[in-house]
């Protein structure tokens, strides 16, 4: 059987053929899961986010006008669902830094002694940045993730999040300073 | 310590983490099943919602009729009690004189 195009599948779903949604889920789930994994750690939470994204996409499919690719529309939904998830789990991020692991401490010590010697591809650096990201407020985390880590433009972020361009800029400024404060707290505890 | 440099280094470390695109087995089937189950549940919700909506007007009608019955001015009693009439009619045959024994 010939494979149906995305537009045909969407049209079929809108006509009431829910089974036509399945190929779309199969095609774009890797992207949805990758996005969810940037904001949640536990596999059960990641699955919940992905599930919510797809159920929202099904419910709001009527609002998809086909002007932009389906993937962009879906990613907007995924980012906003992740943001809602972060806001819903805010309490979890308030904890002390005393739980920094030994490899992370070693990496920091190496950085203090000789910044060039502390490799960014080290597992300890990855653990440390994940820990720092978890401490950020939901807005700051989303902005740092999209702007600094995924290297997206302010305009793109505005589209993804539904925030205005000036708001993204303000939040980016605040996010950077929030991150610096967290880093200062870590380093003050250990090295000052 | 140079915080800005540390920040840059950690951001670079985050960039090096490749996004994991693993999807659980038969995830798309699960989503389709969930959507189908929700559609079934929606039908029940439709009926329940309709019935709930109908309940309020029904209660309003009952209250109105109850009020009308309660506050209706009493009709002048001409001495005929319905229950008495009913008993009279029912026992009428019993009170008839027994003509069969007379010649």
């Amino acid at each position: 059987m010939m494979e149906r195009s995305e537009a045909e599948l969407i049209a079929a779903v809108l006509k009431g053929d829910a089974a036509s949604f399945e190929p779309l889920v199969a095609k774009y789930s890797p992207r949805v899961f990758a996005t969810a994994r940037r904001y949640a750690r536990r596999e059960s939470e990641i699955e919940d986010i992905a599930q919510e994204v797809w159920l929202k996409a099904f419910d709001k499919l009527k609002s998809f006008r086909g002007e932009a690719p389906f993937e962009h529309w879906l990613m907007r939904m995924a980012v906003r669902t992740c943001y809602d998830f972060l806001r819903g789990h805010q309490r979890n991020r308030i904890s002390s830094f005393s739980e920094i692991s030994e490899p992370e401490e070693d990496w920091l010590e190496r950085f203090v002694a000789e910044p060039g010697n502390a490799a960014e591809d080290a597992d300890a650096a990855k653990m440390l940045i994940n820990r720092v990201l978890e401490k950020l407020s939901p807005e700051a985390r989303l902005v740092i993730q999209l702007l600094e880590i995924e290297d997206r433009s302010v305009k793109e972020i505005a589209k993804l999040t539904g925030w205005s361009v000036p708001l993204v800029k303000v939040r980016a400024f605040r996010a950077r300073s929030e991150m610096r404060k967290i880093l200062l707290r870590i380093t003050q505890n250990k090295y000052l | 310590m140079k915080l800005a440099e540390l920040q840059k280094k950690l951001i670079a470390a985050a960039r090096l983490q490749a996004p994991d695109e693993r999807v659980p087995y038969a995830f798309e089937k699960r989503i389709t099943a969930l959507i189908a189950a929700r559609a079934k549940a929606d039908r029940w919700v439709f009926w329940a919602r309709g019935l709930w909506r109908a309940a309020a007007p029904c209660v309003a009608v009952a209250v109105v009729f109850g009020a009308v019955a309660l506050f209706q001015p009493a009709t002048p009693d001409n001495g005929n009690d319905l229950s008495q009439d009913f008993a009279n009619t029912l026992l009428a045959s019993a009170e008839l004189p027994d003509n069969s024994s007379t010649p």
Side-chain angles (χ1 to χ4, degrees):
Chain A
M1 201 176 96
M2 209 175 79
E3 248 183 59
R4 286 189 292 172
S5 75
E6 229 168 73
E8 283 171 338
L9 290 169
I10 292 166
V13 176
L14 289 175
K15 276 183 191 161
D17 175 19
S20 294
F21 199 58
E22 204 176 296
L24 294 170
V25 179
K27 185 175 178 186
Y28 292 111
S29 277
R31 288 280 330 259
V32 172
F33 270 86
T35 305
R37 283 197 179 96
R38 292 183 191 275
Y39 302 95
R41 232 183 344 173
R42 282 188 215 137
E43 254 335 276
S44 62
E45 289 173 340
I46 292 160
E47 271 187 44
D48 284 349
I49 292 172
Q51 187 176 299
E52 206 182 319
V53 170
W54 282 113
L55 293 181
K56 269 189 198 169
F58 183 81
D59 289 340
K60 295 184 177 175
L61 200 60
K62 271 183 204 155
S63 71
F64 174 66
R65 282 168 293 173
E67 289 160 1
F70 176 73
E71 192 179 357
H72 293 186
W73 180 80
L74 184 70
M75 283 305 118
R76 269 206 300 273
M77 215 160 278
V79 166
R80 288 172 197 188
T81 307
C82 289
Y83 178 55
D84 290 341
F85 167 81
L86 290 176
R87 285 201 300 180
H89 291 73
Q90 270 198 87
R91 269 180 299 161
N92 300 354
R93 71 191 175 90
I94 300 159
S95 62
S96 74
F97 284 105
S98 56
E99 71 264 29
I100 282 184
S101 66
E102 231 178 84
E104 288 168 84
E105 258 184 66
D106 290 347
W107 187 88
L108 269 174
E109 268 169 27
R110 250 197 322 256
F111 177 82
V112 171
E114 185 77 56
N117 279 351
E120 50 261 30
D121 61 348
D123 286 342
K126 289 173 189 169
M127 275 157 67
L128 193 59
I129 181 62
N130 287 338
R131 201 183 289 282
V132 171
L133 288 175
E134 275 173 17
K135 304 284 177 234
L136 290 171
S137 65
E139 293 81 15
R141 178 152 185 200
L142 195 67
V143 169
I144 293 285
Q145 179 65 50
L146 296 171
L147 191 71
E148 305 283 357
I149 301 172
E150 291 179 35
D151 214 14
R152 291 179 190 267
S153 70
V154 171
K155 230 177 173 179
E156 257 183 291
I157 297 170
K159 268 189 187 169
L160 277 170
T161 55
W163 301 338
S164 65
V165 169
L167 184 63
V168 174
K169 287 179 181 170
V170 169
R171 286 190 167 164
F173 176 78
R174 286 188 195 149
R176 287 189 195 108
S177 85
E178 201 179 312
M179 195 173 165
R180 266 197 299 276
K181 269 183 203 162
I182 292 170
L183 289 174
L184 191 68
R185 266 171 59 200
I186 300 176
T187 50
Q188 256 177 350
N189 286 347
K190 305 282 173 189
Y191 304 100
L192 291 181
Chain B
M1 185 195 293
K2 288 175 184 170
L3 276 180
E5 203 174 328
L6 177 63
Q7 194 170 355
K8 263 190 199 167
K9 205 135 215 176
L10 289 176
I11 294 286
R15 279 182 182 172
L16 287 174
Q17 290 181 359
D20 183 355
E21 295 196 336
R22 256 179 315 118
V23 176
Y25 177 72
F27 178 74
E28 66 277 9
K29 302 255 181 249
R30 204 189 312 165
I31 294 295
T32 319
L34 261 174
I35 289 167
R38 265 188 353 159
K40 263 186 206 163
D42 282 352
R43 254 171 261 152
W44 284 109
V45 168
F46 171 78
W47 276 105
R49 209 171 284 163
L51 288 172
W52 270 113
R53 275 189 196 152
C58 287
V59 169
V61 168
V63 167
V64 168
F65 277 105
V68 167
L70 201 66
F71 299 111
Q72 205 176 28
T75 48
D77 192 1
N78 52 10
N80 288 340
D81 184 8
L82 183 65
S83 59
Q84 192 59 53
D85 286 350
F86 182 71
N88 288 344
T89 310
L90 207 68
L91 298 171
S93 59
E95 284 172 6
L96 279 175
D98 191 7
N99 294 333
S100 59
S101 59
T102 53

